[in-house]
Amino acid sequence: MAGEKRLKSTRNIGFMAHIDAGKTTVTERILYYTGKTYKIGEVHEGTAVMDWMPQEQERGITITSAVTTCFWRDHIIQIIDTPGHVDFTIEVERSLRVLDGAIAIFCAVGGVEPQSETVWHQADKYRVPKLAFVNKMDRVGADFFGTVEQMSEKLGANPLVVQIPWGREDSFRGVIDLVKMKGVLWEDGMGERYYETEIPRELMEEAERYRELLLEKVAETDDHLLEKYLSGEPITERELKEAIRRATIGLKLQPVLCGAALRNKGIQPLLDAIVDYLPSPLDIPPVEGLNPLSKEVERRRSDEAEPLCALAFKISMDQGRKLTYVRVYSGVLEVGRPVYNANLRKEEKVARIFEMHANHKKRLERARAGEIVALAGLKETSTGHTLCDKGHPIVLEPIEAYRPVISIAVEPKTNQDQDKLAFALEKIAEEDPTFRVKYDEETGQTVISGMGELHLDVIVRRIRDEYNLQVNVGRPQVVYRETVKEGAEARAEFSRTIEGAPRFAEVTLEVMPNERGRGLEFVSLVPPEELPRQYLEAIEEGVEEATSLGVMGYPLTDIKVILKGVRYHEDDFTPMALKAAASQALREACERAGPLQLEPIMELNLMVPNEFMGEVIGDLQSRKGQVEQISTKGQMAMIRAFVPLTRMFGYSTDLRSLTQGRGTFSMRFLRYDRLD
């Protein structure tokens, strides 16, 4: 029962937003008001607790997701603060994978910005219930209702306004709580002191109108409330809160609050909303996974009495030692007790368990269902691996990593540091699934690949700062792909004597172009009774391996491979022979189908003053950019365009000079397309 009570009062939440919407500023206030820290850290001063990396403090941005725990109204709130920059999207992806609820923070001036859309849809993918907090209500141009409208239009959300602002821009004083129908004002200073008051007469009409809309929207999701609403019966605050909670957890509504974090206004009601509306581990469905032995789907409820099931969602290096961040879904983890890694099918021992507060650690003896902790001692466990009880194995769905789109060559300043560089890159690659390292035999260069210029810049700085290595860096290179122009067929056979026994297999494949962004699609036309499942898997494996290097020397993508025929001798057969024949057939078919080089196309979102719009669009067109959409908001123009990555190196400097430093942009990978 004690375990159930603890789980009921636990909230595993994360903050997500576009860069500079104020995520870390909100998190710092939460830590201060919940008593976790004794002073407020500021991003612009480089003192934010959650931005603990030197590079985060220098740049004023979040690079790595940080975990902490605090307490509010007798509830445990475990928080993950995630980055807003598109280059570090994997940090958001793997955090959302293990969270029960999320708070999307929007800038009241910028509204729903491009990266806000990305993270919102990532949360939708994992069916994570959400709250929205419209920040920066004190800024010139703040538009609360405009942002709410954009949530519906751009995100397909169903926003539920539970607060409206009391004043705006310089006159922003507090909020009107539509659930309690009270005003909330903050005293000047650090924002600890706030009080409820009557709604002023000049705001009463607007408050009543939005209260009516709130009741309507909530009643639509709840039959009992709908009955009371239609018959004109009074609805209590408790009934309303419970109905909002059910609708939020059921992904029907997203409550919207507002404030100005930098001015210390609006944070305590946000904490109340986290407790009141976001789910506990008991409110979310049991986690599902595959039993690797029976191949059956199994479920694990959030319960200490269930067999252990935990997901490793992040690897971090702490003073050279590996820390594995895990979300415990069921059962108990204990120091010194072996855990079974179901992905690797081997046991590992937990040496230490830590409760994390950014980069500070508190030792624990055990971790229970519903908790997010860091483990020391797991040597081989990686991002996306499932830790479980060996007697009850389960494999949870792994975490998808994004493919890198940009590369640079790095080399140590002295030859003696070659091994040190290899060691540093190996450790960084273990932490970051979107970072790849390759040694080019032909040129003798070490090539590192990542999600963007900032991503690679951060990694180079880490090599210098954390591993004390001076490196030379080459010019950025684009990571190309290839596909095929037309359809073609090929038959290949594998016929060899291995260890004195003849081995034979023959595979016929057809290859054809696929839609952009579809990747590899494999289809078998051979009837299942003619080809056992393990043999089909060997052919598919051979095809997949062959796509890593195409005819032009780049990985293959956007192709459809059709298996049309297979021959092998039962008495002298090994799956390896089928795999080799499939690889050869794919290579030959691709040669006949005409290889086609593809380059990464980026989606570029710009916000520039109207007076510079013409120059910016002209510059984009000179970069072979395709302008998709232009909209204006006040004095600013929002431009959405598709541009080849090769034309975008150093763009931040060019945009600054075109707009006198007033233009901003964000860029994300969209698709691979043909090179003109």
Side-chain angles (χ1 to χ4, degrees), residues 408-422:
I408 54 174
V410 290
E411 59 178 28
K413 290 257 168 101
T414 62
N415 286 336
Q416 295 95 299
D417 286 340
Q418 194 69 51
D419 289 346
K420 274 174 78 176
L421 177 64

Side-chain angles (χ1 to χ4, degrees), residues 16 102-104 106 120 123-124 127-134 144 147-148 150-153 155-163 214 217-218 221 243-257 273 277-278:
M16 57 184 199
I103 296 97
F106 300 102
W120 188 275
D124 283 344
R127 299 187 62 75
V128 177
K130 296 174 283 290
L131 295 177
F133 182 74
V134 181
F144 174 74
T147 303
V148 173
Q150 285 185 33
M151 285 177 65
S152 302
E153 289 169 7
L155 305 174
N158 191 6
L160 178 74
V161 175
V162 294
Q163 286 178 355
L214 167 82
K217 260 195 172 181
V218 179
T221 69
I244 294 172
R245 178 181 176 80
R246 283 192 295 273
T248 306
I249 294 169
L251 307 175
K252 294 172 185 170
L253 295 170
Q254 294 84 37
V256 186
L257 299 91
Y277 305 136
L278 287 180

Side-chain angles (χ1 to χ4, degrees), residues 452-463:
E453 284 186 275
L454 178 64
H455 187 199
L456 293 182
D457 187 39
V458 164
I459 282 163
V460 169
R461 286 288 303 277
R462 285 189 63 192
I463 294 166

Side-chain angles (χ1 to χ4, degrees), residues 303-336:
D303 188 339
E304 290 175 38
E306 289 254 313
L308 172 68
C309 173
L311 183 73
F313 69 94
K314 177 178 161 73
I315 306 296
S316 173
M317 292 298 157
D318 177 51
Q319 296 169 341
R321 284 192 287 278
K322 179 178 167 182
L323 279 182
T324 307
Y325 286 76
V326 302
R327 160 73 194 262
V328 185
Y329 285 104
S330 62
V332 179
L333 266 170
E334 286 181 1
V335 171

Side-chain angles (χ1 to χ4, degrees), residues 6 32 101 130 149 246 264 305 327 339 385 472 606 638 656:
R6 176 185 61 81
Y32 179 70
K130 296 174 283 290
E149 210 173 293
R246 283 192 295 273
N264 309 316
R327 160 73 194 262
V339 290
H385 285 179
N472 296 319
L606 298 122
M638 264 77 90
R656 271 200 299 274

Side-chain angles (χ1 to χ4, degrees), residues 5-243:
K5 190 179 175 189
R6 176 185 61 81
L7 283 165
K8 202 171 181 181
S9 61
T10 296
R11 301 287 180 272
N12 289 318
I13 59 145
F15 290 97
M16 57 184 199
H18 187 89
I19 192 165
D20 209 28
K23 269 181 328 321
T24 302
T25 305
V26 169
T27 311
E28 293 297 321
R29 267 73 188 160
I30 282 177
L31 296 180
Y32 179 70
Y33 300 137
T34 57
K36 189 74 182 182
T37 54
Y38 65 91
K39 69 171 190 171
I40 294 176
E42 299 293 9
V43 174
H44 57 274
E45 292 173 3
T47 57
V49 174
M50 300 300 272
D51 285 351
W52 57 270
M53 284 174 73
Q55 291 204 52
E56 293 178 310
Q57 291 164 357
E58 270 175 44
R59 296 168 190 265
I61 62 168
T62 303
I63 289 168
T64 181
S65 49
V67 180
T68 191
T69 306
C70 57
F71 299 86
W72 185 255
R73 279 174 37 195
D74 298 324
H75 283 70
I76 307 157
I77 302 177
Q78 297 186 110
I79 299 171
I80 301 182
D81 178 31
T82 65
H85 196 286
V86 67
D87 282 14
F88 309 106
T89 301
I90 186 65
E91 290 287 341
V92 186
E93 182 91 20
R94 57 187 179 182
S95 301
L96 285 169
R97 177 74 170 77
V98 297
L99 291 172
D100 301 332
I103 296 97
I105 297 175
F106 300 102
C107 168
V109 182
V112 175
E113 296 169 283
Q115 186 63 3
S116 317
E117 292 185 54
T118 304
V119 295
W120 188 275
H121 296 316
Q122 281 175 308
D124 283 344
K125 179 168 115 181
Y126 293 117
R127 299 187 62 75
V128 177
K130 296 174 283 290
L131 295 177
F133 182 74
V134 181
N135 192 24
K136 304 192 179 185
M137 284 304 306
D138 57 323
R139 290 265 300 273
V140 175
D143 183 357
F144 174 74
F145 298 107
T147 303
V148 173
E149 210 173 293
Q150 285 185 33
M151 285 177 65
S152 302
E153 289 169 7
K154 292 187 175 182
L155 305 174
N158 191 6
L160 178 74
V161 175
V162 294
Q163 286 178 355
I164 58 172
W166 185 336
R168 51 174 285 202
E169 298 183 355
D170 286 349
S171 63
F172 178 70
R173 301 178 61 200
V175 299
I176 306 295
D177 185 330
L178 301 175
V179 176
K180 294 180 177 179
M181 281 304 276
K182 292 277 185 189
V184 185
L185 290 174
W186 278 262
E187 290 183 7
D188 289 337
M190 300 303 285
E192 308 101 317
R193 297 169 69 85
Y194 65 105
Y195 54 92
E196 286 183 358
T197 181
E198 294 307 311
I199 298 170
R201 198 179 311 138
E202 68 271 16
L203 285 173
M204 187 53 92
E205 192 185 323
E206 187 181 40
E208 283 175 343
R209 189 168 84 250
Y210 279 99
R211 161 81 177 188
E212 200 60 30
L213 284 170
L214 167 82
L215 291 173
E216 256 179 56
K217 260 195 172 181
V218 179
E220 281 171 13
T221 69
D222 191 288
D223 292 343
H224 170 65
L225 221 61
L226 184 62
E227 224 170 275
K228 290 190 83 169
Y229 175 69
L230 293 174
S231 59
E233 286 180 57
I235 294 167
T236 67
E237 184 190 321
R238 185 177 173 181
E239 282 178 317
L240 188 52
K241 280 186 173 176
E242 284 174 356

